[in-house]
Amino acid sequence: MKGNAYFCAAFAVLLLAGHALAIRHHERPHRLSQGVSLSTVQSPTFDLCPTCVSFTGQALDILLNIILNSGVVGSCGTLCGELANKTGNKDLGVVCDLLCDYVGIKEFIKFIQNADLDPIYFCELLKVCKIVDNGDAKFTSLEVHPATGRRGRTFAIAFDWTTTNGTGTGEIVIEVITLDHLPVGTGNLIEPQQPGSYSGTASLSTDNSGCDPSQGPCEQWLPGQYTVKVAICNGECGSTHPHSQIYDMAEATFNITADASRL
């Protein structure tokens, strides 16, 4: 894959309404069922943007609640220390301190309140993620291999896309429309790319043998036809904030037959 792509912990849902694909901002699957995983390419240079987006996806809602419940927060240390205490995660507190000190406590709190739980927009407000508003992208192919396979196997998802003007900080999101309507999806943060052609891959495991029903409903991967939907966006897919738009969307289908164990 050409260019930089980073795994983002927040998952996006693509919903089919008639023949239109509706992407709902902030609507995320409550759990990743039998893992869709995207390939990633690491940046050779130090870059705060993916760190900021990953941190924000985990912490923004908690920070907002701390601010609303505390009333007055006097320093970055106080706010970020409370975040570390509430989450039991000292690393989140360290990243919070780093980003907060970068802009100051007043601006940091203002951006948290204005971001509306949008990690990419928040990090653009902090000026650690680059803004590009004249970008574009278009999918040129999307395939699932094999087109038909038995339940329990791993399917490969491959896609290609091009950009004429380059892209802004955004994401590629993938969702599988399942027969029992449980959310299965993932997303990749994509930092600004130069004009050119790009490709990506994802893997989809349909083995649910390790699924724990006590943690929530398990995707059953019933025999039938499934649809894979992908979107590439500037900013968070479905966001109404500035610097956000859906560049392009594509879809493909694949079929699941009986369990491999029944051969």
Side-chain angles (χ1 to χ4, degrees):
M1 181 189 296
K2 179 181 176 183
N4 302 325
Y6 297 84
F7 181 74
C8 180
F11 303 121
V13 182
L14 308 181
L15 300 175
L16 184 64
H19 294 289
L21 190 62
I23 301 178
R24 297 183 181 180
H25 177 46
H26 304 323
E27 185 168 331
R28 297 289 193 252
H30 57 86
R31 61 192 295 272
L32 180 62
S33 177
Q34 290 82 57
V36 178
S37 59
L38 277 164
S39 61
T40 62
V41 176
Q42 298 299 321
S43 170
T45 59
F46 178 74
D47 186 356
L48 267 180
C49 182
T51 300
C52 178
V53 172
S54 178
F55 159 80
T56 308
Q58 300 175 69
L60 196 58
D61 187 37
I62 301 170
L63 285 170
L64 183 59
N65 285 328
I66 292 172
I67 293 167
L68 293 176
N69 293 328
S70 299
V72 177
V73 179
S75 69
C76 291
T78 300
L79 177 61
C80 297
E82 184 66 15
L83 172 67
N85 289 336
K86 283 188 174 296
T87 61
N89 189 331
K90 293 182 178 179
D91 290 340
L92 282 182
V94 171
V95 176
C96 177
D97 265 322
L98 175 66
L99 296 172
C100 183
D101 286 340
Y102 184 69
V103 295
I105 184 63
K106 290 184 179 180
E107 288 294 286
F108 193 65
I109 290 175
K110 182 176 74 174
F111 293 157
I112 290 171
Q113 294 172 328
N114 291 341
D116 187 28
L117 305 183
D118 183 334
I120 294 177
Y121 181 58
F122 175 74
C123 295
E124 289 175 336
L125 290 173
L126 289 178
K127 300 189 186 305
V128 296
C129 288
K130 186 178 179 181
I131 295 172
V132 178
D133 284 333
N134 65 337
D136 68 281
K138 184 172 181 60
F139 288 108
T140 56
S141 69
L142 170 63
E143 297 179 339
V144 182
H145 302 285
T148 299
R150 291 186 176 272
R151 178 168 54 183
R153 70 160 298 148
T154 296
F155 291 80
I157 302 168
F159 54 88
D160 298 291
W161 56 278
T162 62
T163 172
T164 301
N165 298 321
T167 66
T169 303
E171 62 179 355
I172 290 178
V173 293
I174 295 180
E175 191 209 5
V176 181
I177 306 300
T178 64
L179 299 186
D180 46 11
H181 307 295
L182 289 178
V184 178
T186 190
N188 239 25
L189 173 70
I190 301 179
E191 296 194 75
Q193 303 296 304
Q194 295 298 314
S197 298
Y198 298 82
S199 62
T201 59
S203 60
L204 171 67
S205 171
T206 62
D207 179 5
N208 67 354
S209 59
C211 191
D212 183 359
S214 68
Q215 301 300 311
C218 295
E219 172 56 41
Q220 297 301 308
W221 300 112
L222 303 171
Q225 185 176 82
Y226 290 74
T227 300
V228 174
K229 299 180 180 295
V230 298
I232 182 168
C233 305
N234 187 31
E236 184 179 289
C237 290
S239 175
T240 58
H241 289 128
H243 324 301
S244 302
Q245 69 179 104
I246 299 171
Y247 288 138
D248 196 21
M249 299 175 289
E251 64 179 74
T253 60
F254 67 98
N255 294 283
I256 292 179
T257 58
D259 293 352
S261 61
R262 296 180 182 175
L263 280 172

